[in-house]
Coordinates of all heavy atoms in Angstrom, one line a residue:
P1 N 0.8 -1.2 0.0 CA 0.0 0.0 0.0 C 0.8 1.3 0.0 O 0.3 2.4 -0.2 CB -0.8 -0.1 1.3 CG 0.1 -0.9 2.2 CD 0.7 -1.9 1.3
Q2 N 2.1 1.1 0.2 CA 3.0 2.3 0.3 C 3.9 2.6 -0.9 O 4.7 3.5 -0.9 CB 3.9 2.2 1.5 CG 3.0 2.1 2.8 CD 3.9 1.6 4.0 OE1 4.3 0.5 4.0 NE2 4.1 2.5 5.0
R3 N 3.7 1.7 -2.0 CA 4.5 1.8 -3.2 C 3.6 1.7 -4.4 O 2.7 1.0 -4.5 CB 5.5 0.7 -3.2 CG 6.8 1.0 -2.5 CD 7.7 -0.2 -2.6 NE 9.1 0.1 -2.6 CZ 10.0 -0.8 -2.6 NH1 9.7 -2.1 -2.6 NH2 11.3 -0.4 -2.6
K4 N 4.0 2.5 -5.4 CA 3.3 2.4 -6.7 C 3.8 1.1 -7.4 O 4.9 0.7 -7.4 CB 3.7 3.6 -7.6 CG 3.1 3.6 -9.0 CD 3.6 4.8 -9.7 CE 3.0 4.9 -11.1 NZ 3.4 6.0 -11.9
N5 N 2.8 0.4 -7.9 CA 3.0 -0.9 -8.5 C 3.9 -1.9 -7.6 O 4.8 -2.5 -8.1 CB 3.8 -0.7 -9.9 CG 3.0 0.1 -10.9 OD1 1.7 0.0 -10.9 ND2 3.6 0.9 -11.7
G6 N 3.5 -1.9 -6.4 CA 4.2 -2.7 -5.4 C 3.5 -3.9 -4.8 O 2.2 -3.8 -4.7
Y7 N 4.2 -4.9 -4.4 CA 3.7 -6.0 -3.7 C 4.6 -6.4 -2.5 O 5.8 -6.2 -2.6 CB 3.6 -7.2 -4.7 CG 2.6 -7.0 -5.8 CD1 3.1 -6.4 -7.0 CD2 1.3 -7.4 -5.7 CE1 2.2 -6.2 -8.0 CE2 0.4 -7.2 -6.8 CZ 0.9 -6.6 -7.9 OH 0.0 -6.4 -9.0
L8 N 4.0 -6.9 -1.5 CA 4.7 -7.5 -0.3 C 4.7 -9.0 -0.4 O 3.6 -9.6 -0.6 CB 4.1 -7.0 1.0 CG 4.1 -5.5 1.2 CD1 3.3 -5.2 2.5 CD2 5.5 -4.9 1.3
V9 N 5.8 -9.6 -0.4 CA 6.0 -11.1 -0.6 C 6.6 -11.7 0.6 O 7.8 -11.5 0.8 CB 6.8 -11.4 -1.9 CG1 6.8 -12.9 -2.1 CG2 6.2 -10.6 -3.1
M10 N 5.8 -12.4 1.4 CA 6.4 -13.1 2.6 C 7.1 -14.4 2.1 O 6.5 -15.1 1.2 CB 5.3 -13.4 3.6 CG 5.9 -13.9 4.9 SD 6.7 -12.5 5.8 CE 7.7 -13.5 6.9
C11 N 8.2 -14.6 2.6 CA 9.0 -15.8 2.1 C 9.5 -16.7 3.2 O 9.7 -16.3 4.4 CB 10.3 -15.3 1.4 SG 9.9 -14.3 -0.1
E12 N 9.6 -18.0 2.9 CA 10.3 -18.9 3.8 C 11.8 -18.9 3.4 O 12.1 -18.8 2.2 CB 9.8 -20.3 3.7 CG 8.4 -20.5 4.3 CD 7.9 -22.0 4.2 OE1 8.8 -22.8 4.0 OE2 6.8 -22.2 4.5
V13 N 12.7 -19.2 4.3 CA 14.1 -19.3 4.0 C 14.5 -20.8 3.9 O 14.2 -21.6 4.7 CB 14.9 -18.6 5.1 CG1 16.4 -18.9 4.9 CG2 14.6 -17.2 5.3
L14 N 15.1 -21.0 2.7 CA 15.6 -22.4 2.5 C 17.1 -22.4 2.4 O 17.7 -21.4 2.0 CB 15.0 -22.9 1.1 CG 13.5 -22.8 1.0 CD1 13.1 -23.4 -0.4 CD2 12.7 -23.6 2.1
N15 N 17.7 -23.6 2.6 CA 19.1 -23.8 2.4 C 19.3 -23.8 0.9 O 18.4 -24.0 0.1 CB 19.6 -25.1 3.0 CG 19.5 -25.0 4.5 OD1 19.9 -24.1 5.2 ND2 18.8 -26.0 5.1
A16 N 20.6 -23.8 0.5 CA 20.9 -23.8 -1.0 C 20.4 -25.0 -1.7 O 20.1 -25.0 -2.9 CB 22.4 -23.6 -1.2
D17 N 20.3 -26.1 -0.9 CA 19.8 -27.4 -1.5 C 18.3 -27.5 -1.6 O 17.7 -28.5 -2.0 CB 20.4 -28.6 -0.8 CG 20.0 -28.7 0.6 OD1 19.2 -27.8 1.1 OD2 20.4 -29.6 1.3
G18 N 17.6 -26.5 -1.1 CA 16.1 -26.4 -1.2 C 15.4 -26.9 0.1 O 14.2 -26.9 0.1
T19 N 16.2 -27.4 1.1 CA 15.6 -27.8 2.3 C 15.3 -26.6 3.2 O 15.9 -25.6 3.0 CB 16.5 -28.8 3.1 OG1 17.8 -28.2 3.3 CG2 16.7 -30.1 2.2
A20 N 14.4 -26.8 4.1 CA 14.0 -25.7 5.0 C 15.2 -25.3 5.9 O 15.9 -26.2 6.5 CB 12.8 -26.1 5.9
H21 N 15.5 -24.1 6.0 CA 16.5 -23.6 6.9 C 16.1 -23.7 8.4 O 14.9 -23.7 8.7 CB 16.8 -22.1 6.6 CG 18.1 -21.6 7.3 ND1 18.1 -21.1 8.6 CD2 19.4 -21.5 6.9 CE1 19.3 -20.7 8.9 NE2 20.1 -20.9 7.9
E22 N 17.0 -23.9 9.3 CA 16.7 -24.2 10.7 C 15.9 -23.0 11.3 O 15.2 -23.1 12.3 CB 17.9 -24.5 11.5 CG 18.9 -23.3 11.6 CD 20.1 -23.6 12.5 OE1 20.1 -24.7 13.1 OE2 21.0 -22.8 12.6
S23 N 16.1 -21.8 10.7 CA 15.4 -20.6 11.2 C 14.0 -20.5 10.7 O 13.3 -19.5 11.1 CB 16.2 -19.3 10.8 OG 16.2 -19.2 9.4
N24 N 13.6 -21.4 9.8 CA 12.3 -21.3 9.1 C 11.2 -21.9 10.0 O 10.9 -23.1 9.9 CB 12.4 -22.0 7.8 CG 11.1 -21.9 6.9 OD1 10.1 -21.6 7.4 ND2 11.3 -22.2 5.7
G25 N 10.5 -21.1 10.8 CA 9.5 -21.5 11.7 C 8.2 -22.0 10.9 O 7.5 -22.9 11.4
R26 N 7.9 -21.3 9.8 CA 6.7 -21.7 9.1 C 6.8 -23.1 8.6 O 5.8 -23.8 8.5 CB 6.6 -20.7 7.9 CG 5.2 -20.8 7.2 CD 5.2 -19.8 6.0 NE 3.9 -19.6 5.4 CZ 3.4 -20.3 4.5 NH1 4.1 -21.3 4.0 NH2 2.2 -20.0 4.0
A27 N 8.0 -23.5 8.1 CA 8.2 -24.9 7.6 C 8.0 -26.0 8.6 O 7.9 -27.2 8.3 CB 9.6 -25.0 6.9
T28 N 8.1 -25.6 9.9 CA 7.9 -26.6 11.0 C 6.5 -26.9 11.3 O 6.2 -27.7 12.2 CB 8.7 -26.2 12.3 OG1 8.0 -25.0 12.8 CG2 10.1 -25.8 12.0

């Protein structure tokens, strides 16, 4: 809502191999 042509994208953090990072609470 604060940017022209903008979107907010919530993300999960993954390791480089595509597995869930240990800090990724959503993936648990």
Side-chain angles (χ1 to χ4, degrees):
Q2 298 164 296
R3 272 177 151 179
K4 182 180 178 181
N5 298 328
Y7 295 89
L8 300 175
V9 183
M10 192 68 200
C11 300
E12 289 186 13
V13 175
L14 307 180
N15 297 308
D17 63 2
T19 59
H21 191 275
E22 64 176 0
S23 65
N24 185 342
R26 191 180 191 275
T28 66

